[in-house]
């Protein structure tokens, strides 16, 4: 294997939520070892998590979260991978790559190992094209360009805030689909990256995700999930709906497609159904809410957009269930905590 290039190694943190030893990092060593890791330990804070030798990391457990955020720590989920967003908050780097501990290095159709992080960085460093769809997908990839009929006035593109990767083997299905298709595996490797068009929502998955913390960090809140909450497994999707509305408003791009990781372990569909049950009903009202959400022109920072969105969540979704009043309050608490730890940092800048 050729020696991988380690782009942006001083400008990027890797955030991993976990409840177990991080043996999976051995496979990722050639690609990830030069980068700084932020490990967010969920569950029992007295348990010792082992990290393979040679990795540079900082580890935070629930006691650390409570100590650092005080009363605001209640906005960080417990016993749910949504706790990963604490890592986004404490990072001081421009870029974040987050990955789950059951995600291994994938192979492309030629058998070559996929350097997922390198592809995410390429996605983030190239512009997005949310205002007009290019039928050759990403025009900035080698061997592609803007097709005939693509407006020249839009060819400059916009900054890319989010790169959303995909998964081979175990697909990211909801519990009902898991139950109906227990043996289904994804073997399709689609060699494409595309910008999600403006006005189009998508189900964001947090297990293979990268983003520009300066551009969108304060909106990457994974909500209230897990212990003591009536819902789970909607953390990343909630964040995805929020960031998409805000990216559309601020003129930023979101890409999906490459890179792939190999998702090794299927979660229990019966456990998942318990977590998702209310969300399956609620999403039929949540999604129209986000589709109709409009942010005022004077919302020019991510924080201002997010606070405005929290007000609309309380006003519109609070009627669906009292949980959304609580979630709207937590969204405000999250921004307060973010600003306290990042007093003049990401998201505080006026969007150009």
């Amino acid at each position: 294997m050729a020696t991988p290039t380690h782009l942006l190694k001083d400008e990027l943190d890797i955030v991993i939520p976990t409840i177990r030893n991080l043996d999976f990092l051995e496979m990722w060593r050639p690609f990830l070892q030069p980068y700084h890791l932020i490990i967010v330990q969920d569950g029992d804070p007295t348990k010792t998590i082992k990290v393979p030798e040679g990795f540079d990391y900082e580890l935070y457990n629930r006691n650390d979260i409570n100590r650092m955020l005080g009363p605001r720590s209640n906005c960080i989920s417990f016993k749910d991978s949504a706790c990963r967003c604490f890592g986004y908050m404490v990072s001081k780097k421009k870029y974040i790559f987050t990955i789950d501990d059951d995600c291994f290095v994938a192979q492309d159709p030629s058998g070559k190992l996929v350097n997922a992080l390198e592809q995410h960085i390429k996605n983030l460093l190239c512009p997005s094209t949310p205002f007009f769809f290019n039928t050759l997908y990403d025009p900035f990839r080698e061997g592609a360009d803007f097709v005939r009929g693509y407006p020249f006035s839009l060819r400059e593109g916009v900054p890319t805030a989010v790169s959303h990767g995909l998964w081979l083997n175990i697909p990211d299905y909801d519990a009902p689909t898991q139950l109906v298709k227990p043996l289904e595996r994804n073997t399709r490797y689609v060699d494409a990256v595309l910008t999600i068009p403006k006005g189009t929502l998508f189900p964001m998955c947090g297990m293979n995700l990268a983003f520009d913390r300066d551009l969108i960090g304060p909106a990457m809140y994974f909500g209230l999930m897990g212990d003591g909450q009536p819902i789970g497994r909607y953390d990343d999707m909630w964040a995805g709906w929020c960031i998409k509305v805000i990216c559309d408003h601020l003129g930023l791009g979101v890409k999906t497609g490459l890179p792939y990781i190999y998702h090794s372990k299927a979660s229990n569909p019966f456990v998942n159904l318990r977590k998702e049950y209310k969300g399956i009903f609620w999403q039929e009202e949540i999604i129209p809410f986000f589709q109709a959400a409009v942010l005022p022109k004077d919302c020019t920072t991510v924080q201002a957009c997010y606070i405005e969105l929290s007000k609309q969540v309380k006003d519109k979704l609070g009627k669906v269930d009292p949980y959304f009043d609580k979630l709207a309050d937590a969204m405000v608490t999250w921004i307060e905590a973010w600003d306290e730890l990042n007093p003049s940092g990401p998201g505080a800048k006026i969007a150009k």
Side-chain angles (χ1 to χ4, degrees):
M1 184 179 74
T3 304
T5 51
H6 299 114
L7 302 169
L8 304 178
K9 85 178 168 63
D10 298 321
E11 298 177 69
L12 182 144
D13 278 335
I14 298 168
V15 174
I16 305 168
T18 193
I19 56 170
R20 58 182 64 88
N21 294 335
L22 295 182
D23 303 332
F24 90 111
L25 284 172
E26 283 297 349
M27 180 182 263
W28 285 98
R29 189 182 288 277
F31 306 117
L32 304 187
Q33 185 171 345
Y35 295 89
H36 180 67
L37 310 181
I38 297 177
I39 299 161
V40 184
Q41 178 180 342
D42 197 17
D44 181 2
T46 64
K47 183 180 174 183
T48 300
I49 299 286
K50 291 180 182 168
V51 182
E53 280 188 29
F55 283 91
D56 171 42
Y57 70 94
E58 54 193 298
L59 186 148
Y60 298 94
N61 62 32
R62 192 71 209 185
N63 293 341
D64 299 315
I65 294 170
N66 293 342
R67 176 177 49 80
M68 292 174 70
L69 297 186
R72 293 193 179 115
S73 63
N74 62 9
C75 73
I76 305 297
S77 299
F78 183 54
K79 295 188 177 174
D80 193 282
S81 66
C83 67
R84 78 176 78 221
C85 62
F86 178 76
Y88 310 160
M89 184 188 281
V90 297
S91 170
K92 301 302 174 204
K93 305 285 178 63
K94 178 172 169 54
Y95 300 99
I96 296 284
F97 170 47
T98 185
I99 186 171
D100 283 5
D101 60 15
D102 61 351
C103 293
F104 299 159
V105 179
Q107 293 183 0
D108 70 13
S110 73
K112 182 183 173 189
L113 295 177
V114 174
N115 185 346
L117 178 52
E118 183 179 53
Q119 180 64 50
H120 275 303
I121 291 169
K122 287 178 180 175
N123 292 349
L124 290 170
L125 294 181
C126 283
S128 292
T129 52
F131 305 123
F132 200 87
F133 189 79
N134 191 52
T135 50
L136 271 183
Y137 307 122
D138 189 345
F140 299 100
R141 282 191 78 192
E142 192 177 338
D145 211 321
F146 292 99
V147 297
R148 182 169 55 90
Y150 200 100
F152 283 87
S153 59
L154 296 178
R155 293 190 182 196
E156 190 178 322
V158 302
T160 301
V162 179
S163 171
H164 177 256
L166 298 174
W167 347 269
L168 293 173
N169 195 39
I170 307 291
D172 187 29
Y173 285 162
D174 54 39
T177 310
Q178 279 184 295
L179 287 164
V180 176
K181 296 179 166 182
L183 302 179
E184 184 152 296
R185 300 293 180 264
N186 181 36
T187 57
R188 294 178 66 233
Y189 185 101
V190 181
D191 187 10
V193 178
L194 59 146
T195 298
I196 300 172
K198 182 178 181 182
T200 300
L201 296 173
F202 75 112
M204 189 172 84
C205 171
M207 71 172 122
N208 174 23
L209 180 73
F211 60 92
D212 185 322
R213 193 172 170 277
D214 284 2
L215 290 179
I216 200 63
M220 273 290 179
Y221 175 47
F222 276 39
L224 286 177
M225 303 281 152
D227 197 50
Q229 308 302 335
I231 187 175
R233 283 172 56 84
Y234 274 81
D235 52 333
D236 42 9
M237 291 185 289
W238 179 263
W241 297 324
C242 291
I243 62 98
K244 190 57 169 63
V245 168
I246 292 171
C247 283
D248 286 353
H249 174 75
L250 295 178
L252 301 170
V254 178
K255 291 183 178 178
T256 189
L258 299 179
Y260 282 87
I261 52 84
Y262 183 90
H263 186 207
S264 66
K265 191 170 95 261
S267 47
N268 185 312
F270 297 99
V271 173
N272 290 347
L273 187 58
R274 270 204 304 272
K275 293 178 180 178
E276 294 173 7
Y277 178 75
K278 292 194 173 187
I280 290 168
F281 291 98
W282 288 348
Q283 71 185 19
E284 301 306 319
E285 303 200 48
I286 295 170
I287 291 168
F289 161 76
F290 280 108
Q291 287 172 326
V294 176
L295 299 172
K297 284 188 177 160
D298 62 354
C299 286
T300 54
T301 67
V302 176
Q303 277 95 329
C305 291
Y306 203 71
I307 293 295
E308 171 60 29
L309 205 48
S310 76
K311 292 174 187 171
Q312 296 184 24
V313 167
K314 182 163 277 213
D315 182 45
K316 302 275 177 39
L317 293 179
K319 298 166 188 168
V320 175
D321 191 273
Y323 165 75
F324 291 100
D325 288 325
K326 193 175 168 186
L327 178 55
D329 291 339
M331 292 168 74
V332 176
T333 304
W334 160 266
I335 292 294
E336 291 169 352
W338 181 285
D339 286 346
E340 186 180 346
L341 292 185
N342 302 277
S344 59
K349 307 177 185 74
I350 299 290
K352 295 263 187 334

